[in-house]
């Protein structure tokens, strides 16, 4: 009884937090968050990150790093989007009968039925954690953490995930990254880069991407 009441209380709190975040919106925010949450717009950023890997590792190590990241994304995505979702079957906010009429959506984007945990959060935080372990620069780690936090916020803003979905998804991604890093480090004898070169490249691409989002959103190029 107490456990059931506790879980029900957490779910109700999750809904209240979602509506509080989702309820504060604007035409600028709609456009910006819609773009931010789209996985394809980040391809230039990912290419910039790959460039840094190329400049800091030998070709053999590059292949191992790329294989590790590919394994990491598959692991975090399958754990969140396939295994855990099929076990929990929690509706997205935009499909939850209790609050769906109150949820603000952008361009009719409601996502699939199931919400828990967030694959977006899992994949983002898998990358944040792994690259933070790979390139030991505090400012770079904080940049990636900021990118991951805003990615999670965008999912709540758009009414696609509850906070609980995002926290568990982020935990799945981070844990997957730690496991893959341990294999990468101890099995393949690969080391972190203490003084990585060319980290300014992904930082510059990230800044330009955000500026582009802001300009497009300010001039309502995205028809939201």
């Amino acid at each position: 009884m107490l456990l059931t009441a506790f879980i029900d209380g957490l779910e109700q709190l999750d809904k209240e937090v979602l509506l509080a975040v989702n309820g504060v919106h604007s035409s600028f925010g709609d456009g910006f968050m819609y773009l931010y949450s789209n996985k394809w717009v980040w391809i230039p950023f990912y290419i910039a990150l790959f460039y840094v890997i190329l400049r800091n590792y030998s070709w053999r190590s590059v292949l191992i790093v790329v294989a590790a990241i590919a394994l990491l994304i598959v692991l975090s995505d399958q754990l969140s989007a396939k295994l855990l979702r099929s076990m929990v079957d929690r509706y997205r906010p935009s499909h939850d009968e209790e609050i769906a009429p109150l949820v603000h959506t952008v361009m009719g984007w409601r996502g699939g039925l199931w919400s828990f945990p967030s694959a977006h959060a899992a994949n983002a935080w898998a990358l944040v954690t792994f690259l933070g372990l790979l390139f030991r620069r505090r400012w770079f780690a904080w940049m990636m953490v900021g990118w991951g936090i805003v990615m999670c916020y965008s999912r709540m803003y758009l009414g696609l995930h509850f906070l609980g979905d995002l926290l568990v998804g982020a935990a799945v991604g981070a844990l997957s990254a730690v496991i893959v890093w341990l294999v990468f480090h101890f099995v393949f004898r690969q080391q972190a880069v203490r003084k990585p070169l060319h980290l300014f490249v992904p930082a510059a691409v990230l800044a330009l991407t955000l500026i582009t989002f802001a300009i497009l959103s300010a001039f309502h190029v995205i028809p939201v």
Side-chain angles (χ1 to χ4, degrees):
M1 288 289 291
L2 288 176
L3 180 59
T4 301
F6 178 70
I7 293 175
D8 289 343
L10 285 179
E11 288 188 353
Q12 190 58 40
L13 178 61
D14 228 2
K15 292 178 180 180
E16 292 174 2
V17 172
L18 181 280
L19 291 176
V21 172
N22 177 257
V24 181
H25 53 82
S26 65
S27 59
F28 176 85
D30 287 357
F32 191 92
M33 292 302 169
Y34 180 83
L35 288 169
Y36 200 102
S37 198
N38 188 313
K39 61 184 178 181
W40 300 112
V41 302
W42 293 108
I43 290 176
F45 182 54
Y46 299 147
I47 291 174
L49 292 171
F50 178 65
Y51 169 79
V52 173
I53 293 171
L54 283 176
R55 294 307 302 264
N56 285 279
Y57 282 97
S58 66
W59 275 104
R60 176 182 177 277
S61 294
V62 166
L63 293 176
I64 295 174
V65 172
V66 171
I69 293 176
L71 172 62
L72 170 60
I73 298 303
V74 170
L75 179 61
S76 65
D77 189 73
Q78 291 301 305
L79 283 174
S80 56
K82 300 296 183 182
L83 179 62
L84 293 177
R85 267 190 203 175
S86 65
M87 295 170 60
V88 177
D89 288 349
R90 185 187 193 188
Y91 285 113
R92 289 184 188 272
S94 52
H95 292 288
D96 187 299
E97 292 183 357
E98 182 181 346
I99 65 170
L102 304 174
V103 174
H104 171 73
T105 59
V106 177
M107 295 183 68
W109 189 11
R110 294 183 175 272
L113 284 177
W114 309 123
S115 175
F116 182 93
S118 166
H120 259 76
N123 294 336
W125 282 90
L127 192 62
V128 168
T129 305
F130 188 82
L131 291 178
L133 292 169
L134 199 64
F135 300 120
R136 301 298 175 88
R137 273 289 183 268
R138 184 174 297 177
W139 70 265
F140 176 78
W142 280 112
M143 181 189 78
M144 294 301 299
V145 166
W147 175 77
I149 289 174
V150 179
M151 182 63 72
C152 289
Y153 178 84
S154 74
R155 304 302 285 174
M156 293 184 68
Y157 181 100
L158 296 169
L160 297 173
H161 282 291
F162 294 104
L163 178 60
D165 305 338
L166 298 164
L167 292 176
V168 174
V172 168
L175 180 60
S176 300
V178 170
I179 292 172
V180 172
W181 167 257
L182 291 175
V183 173
F184 173 79
H185 183 60
F186 290 107
V187 175
F188 292 98
R189 304 296 181 184
Q190 298 298 309
Q191 302 295 320
V193 182
R194 300 291 175 178
K195 295 182 178 180
L197 304 172
H198 300 280
L199 286 182
F200 68 90
V201 175
V205 171
L206 177 59
L208 288 173
T209 301
L210 297 179
I211 291 170
T212 302
F213 290 175
I215 293 173
L216 293 176
S217 302
F219 289 96
H220 308 298
V221 175
I222 306 300
V224 295

